[in-house]
Amino acid sequence: MKKILMVLLSSAFILSPTATIIACKNIDEFISYQDPDWIYQMKTAASEQFTVGYDNYYLPSARSSIQKDNWLDLNQESHVYVYFKNITNIDEVMKKLSFGDTANMRLVTQIYEPIIFTKTNNGMYISDPFLTQNTAVGEYTMMAQDKWQDIKNSKNMKQLNDRFQKEFEQYGTIADSHPVQGVNGTKFVWWDSNRWESLLQTDIQKAIYGVWSSTENKIQVGMNIPLSLVSKGSIKVSKTDVQNVFRIDLNYQEDWINNSFNKIKYLLPHWGFYFKIKGENNAQYVSPQLIPAINNAFRASNILTYLKSKKVNSFNTEGYKNAKIIS
């Protein structure tokens, strides 16, 4: 199988890998977050079952989960609020909410890993770890700058030829169609020098990695795009002091092993995350793309210039102008 380039933003937006710079945040920081006053003003029209608020505006539903424009820049604001007209119980809310990733590996691996939540002792729901791929915007792979630096200086990368090393330095991936390389009779996954796969916790995750980095299966020969293990608690859903309003904290991180063999976390720049709300009588809401840490990304200026050239504007810079203010 040749390397598959997943098309994201219609014709010209391709998902191939890119590097991204990210500073770590502790997911526990979000527990003490002070909710803004405007959530007390959230309400629905007579015909609506729920509304979504973001940065003091009602956030319109996207046309689909792959909508290009109106993406949320989580660097600027990482909290979304949902008001349910007739729901005050968080367990009932979680039956209505679902979270997804347009960059999941189902197309290549034929294995689907849903994003699952666990309820904590304080009543909050937090996401379990799940896999995603380091897709790209334009030509550049979105990954933490520190992760890109780790791979660039890794044992496996240094064994590749000069052309591959230069390609990775420029784009965050290599042009060869297979993730497994061979030097002096030794085979290795070029982006995984430090046994990152030892972090995988479930049979589904291990199966996805097995296909993604396959050396034996001639049908599924693997992909040369690095993977990320999204950290536990990257998404949190909790109740606010307002009876019908619930907060979604979006602090996407990944678990990684650096070249000192330390288990660490990096913020995870990524294009693909979204959520849905399903109501009664086919009522549905689809969020815009939820984009973490884009301003900290490797080649951030190239990525932002590309998006601007395609008129793919964020809600934070343009979309809010057509949205209804809450208070």
Side-chain angles (χ1 to χ4, degrees):
M1 178 190 299
K2 294 290 186 180
K3 171 185 170 185
I4 297 174
L5 293 178
M6 300 175 66
V7 177
L8 181 58
L9 295 185
S10 72
S11 58
F13 201 157
I14 56 175
L15 293 178
S16 93
T18 287
T20 278
I21 111 172
I22 306 307
C24 279
K25 277 188 181 178
N26 189 316
I27 58 177
D28 293 332
E29 290 176 13
F30 287 78
I31 295 176
S32 59
Y33 177 77
Q34 182 65 45
D35 293 319
D37 291 339
W38 56 260
I39 68 171
Y40 288 85
Q41 309 302 320
M42 291 184 70
K43 58 186 178 181
T44 61
S47 61
E48 295 177 320
Q49 300 173 36
F50 45 78
T51 54
V52 178
Y54 178 76
D55 203 16
N56 202 20
Y57 289 90
Y58 287 111
L59 188 63
S61 177
R63 297 179 296 276
S64 73
S65 60
I66 59 171
Q67 177 177 306
K68 296 178 289 187
D69 56 342
N70 237 28
W71 52 276
L72 299 191
D73 185 349
L74 301 183
N75 259 340
Q76 297 190 37
E77 176 56 59
S78 60
H79 305 87
V80 177
Y81 293 85
V82 184
Y83 172 92
F84 287 91
K85 181 185 290 184
N86 298 317
I87 300 178
T88 60
N89 183 288
I90 193 170
D91 299 330
E92 294 301 312
V93 166
M94 294 306 294
K95 295 176 182 178
K96 304 293 184 183
L97 273 176
S98 62
F99 291 80
D101 179 12
T102 58
N104 71 71
M105 284 74 65
R106 189 178 200 171
L107 178 64
V108 174
T109 66
Q110 306 302 305
I111 303 169
Y112 177 65
E113 181 187 23
I115 299 175
I116 297 172
F117 285 77
T118 298
K119 190 175 184 180
T120 64
N121 291 335
N122 62 6
M124 177 185 295
Y125 279 87
I126 64 173
S127 57
D128 291 347
F130 63 94
L131 284 176
T132 190
Q133 57 178 303
N134 295 155
T135 56
V137 176
E139 299 177 288
Y140 305 104
T141 304
M142 294 188 75
M143 68 174 77
Q145 174 68 24
D146 289 337
K147 178 177 178 178
W148 176 86
Q149 195 76 31
D150 286 341
I151 296 175
K152 178 178 177 289
N153 295 321
S154 68
K155 173 189 68 176
N156 288 357
M157 179 59 63
K158 290 177 180 178
Q159 295 184 79
L160 300 183
N161 62 45
D162 290 344
R163 180 170 68 86
F164 283 172
Q165 291 190 48
K166 288 178 181 178
E167 286 174 353
F168 179 79
E169 199 164 323
Q170 178 70 17
Y171 302 110
T173 188
I174 62 175
D176 187 85
S177 62
H178 201 286
V180 177
Q181 301 295 317
V183 176
N184 298 326
T186 301
K187 292 184 177 181
F188 53 87
V189 177
W190 63 266
W191 54 267
D192 182 9
S193 291
N194 305 321
R195 296 204 65 244
W196 166 87
E197 76 280 4
S198 66
L199 299 175
L200 304 182
Q201 301 177 18
T202 68
D203 290 340
I204 288 179
Q205 291 168 3
K206 293 171 185 177
I208 289 173
Y209 178 79
V211 175
W212 203 257
S213 61
S214 172
T215 58
E216 305 299 332
N217 190 324
K218 294 182 180 180
I219 297 176
Q220 299 282 6
V221 296
M223 294 283 284
N224 69 346
I225 299 173
L227 296 179
S228 288
L229 180 64
V230 183
S231 302
K232 180 178 180 179
S234 286
I235 310 167
K236 295 180 178 180
V237 182
S238 57
K239 207 173 182 327
T240 70
D241 290 337
V242 184
Q243 188 176 32
N244 295 67
V245 178
F246 299 83
R247 184 176 77 230
I248 302 173
D249 296 329
L250 301 164
N251 182 34
Y252 293 98
Q253 302 177 85
E254 69 171 302
D255 296 331
W256 181 248
I257 299 178
N258 65 15
N259 291 333
S260 298
F261 298 97
N262 295 319
K263 295 180 181 179
I264 55 176
K265 293 183 186 293
Y266 292 140
L267 291 185
L268 177 61
H270 182 73
W271 192 286
F273 297 134
Y274 66 94
F275 68 86
K276 289 184 177 181
I277 308 172
K278 188 172 183 180
E280 305 299 328
N281 301 318
N282 297 318
Q284 181 171 282
Y285 176 90
V286 181
S287 79
Q289 288 280 315
L290 313 169
I291 312 302
I294 193 169
N295 288 341
N296 296 329
F298 167 73
R299 302 290 185 185
S301 60
N302 299 81
I303 292 171
L304 293 169
T305 298
Y306 175 83
L307 292 172
K308 186 175 181 180
S309 72
K310 299 300 179 182
K311 296 183 171 56
V312 179
N313 298 309
S314 71
F315 180 85
N316 310 71
T317 58
E318 294 292 334
Y320 77 93
K321 297 175 183 178
N322 298 314
K324 182 180 178 181
I325 196 167
I326 294 174
S327 63

